[in-house]
Amino acid sequence: MSEVSSIHTPTAPPSLLRRALCKPGLILGVAIVGVSSLLAIAPSLFAPYDPNFIDYNAVKQPPSWAHPFGTDMLGRDSLSRVIAAYSVNMQMAVLATVFAMIIGVTVGALVGYYRGIADVIFGRFVDAIITFPFLVLVIAVVAVLGPGLVNMYIAITLVNWVYYARLMRAEVITQMGNDYASAGVVMGYSDRRIIFRHLLPNAITPVIVYWMTDMALAILLGSSLGYLGLGAQPPQAEWGVLIAEGRNFITTAWWLSLMPGIAIVITGIGFSLIGDGLADLLRPRD
């Protein structure tokens, strides 16, 4: 009887959602990105003024109750313009990365599966790309295509997909060492089924984690290009453009560049926290 009573039923591992709720960093990141998404989807519901309304009687007013972020050189409310910029900058986070991820995941999966001459060519191509600084390559492509958001997305995609492909290739090669991949070949499954129904779902986790972090970098890169005049163009409200507009008044109207800069930092931290939280949450457990 004592032997029976000493046997304990093993407790089930905590669910993914329960473990996620125990990670304050991940929760904070989701909250930041969630609020940022709301501001991006419906900025007019949160902006106290029309972001493009010009009032020459309120030029470069410091932060006050009427204008918490002050006003710019044309009397436009800075808070409203920072909120309006969420639409553009959150769009950057998605469109500047999602196409690069799709292309990179597809190419990386195919190269990792077939290897051979394709893998050799891909390796030499990757070596050539990563030799140059990422920002320099993007600026060079934008300089050829011309400034603007669409051309900026094209430029980032043309350069950035390589990094996703390299990560996916390594993960697919790792997964092919498992028994289920060999079993699929023995059972006569098609290459497409093995790659996209078996290898890809098991190899995609690190790519998703990288994508979250890459969205933070995309906001920073897009703002940098806007600051240089290669991304969003005035009078469109975008954080990099707003910082560039305030750079000549940094000593007399410091709020013009500071407030959009804070928005960049906070939003970037949100995506970074999600990436770190997912990396910890999805890490294989013993």
Side-chain angles (χ1 to χ4, degrees), residues 113-241:
Y113 181 78
Y114 289 109
R115 305 294 295 276
I117 186 64
D119 192 27
V120 174
I121 296 174
F122 175 76
R124 300 293 77 77
F125 181 76
V126 169
D127 292 340
I129 292 296
I130 65 177
T131 299
F132 300 93
F134 182 83
L135 181 59
V136 172
L137 284 177
V138 172
I139 291 176
V141 176
V142 173
V144 173
L145 299 177
L149 286 176
V150 175
N151 290 340
M152 185 190 74
Y153 297 147
I154 294 174
I156 295 176
T157 300
L158 288 176
V159 179
N160 199 26
W161 71 269
V162 173
Y163 298 89
Y164 286 94
R166 184 173 63 168
L167 177 60
M168 176 53 65
R169 170 191 170 276
E171 290 298 320
V172 167
I173 292 175
T174 301
Q175 292 298 323
M176 286 184 64
N178 295 329
D179 293 337
Y180 75 87
S182 301
V185 176
V186 172
M187 296 179 68
Y189 292 163
S190 66
D191 291 347
R192 186 174 65 176
R193 178 173 180 176
I194 295 173
I195 294 171
F196 294 104
R197 291 188 59 181
H198 299 283
L199 292 175
L200 194 59
N202 288 286
I204 197 68
T205 298
V207 176
I208 294 176
V209 173
Y210 177 77
W211 182 37
M212 289 293 109
T213 304
D214 197 34
M215 283 199 277
L217 297 176
I219 292 177
L220 181 60
L221 176 61
S223 299
S224 300
L225 293 175
Y227 180 86
L228 297 173
L230 299 174
Q233 299 296 302
Q236 188 173 38
E238 189 274 323
W239 293 330
V241 172

Side-chain angles (χ1 to χ4, degrees), residues 267-286:
T267 308
I269 288 174
F271 281 110
S272 297
L273 288 174
I274 291 178
D276 292 342
L278 287 177
D280 186 37
L281 188 66
L282 301 176
R283 184 178 295 118
R285 301 169 67 89
D286 295 332

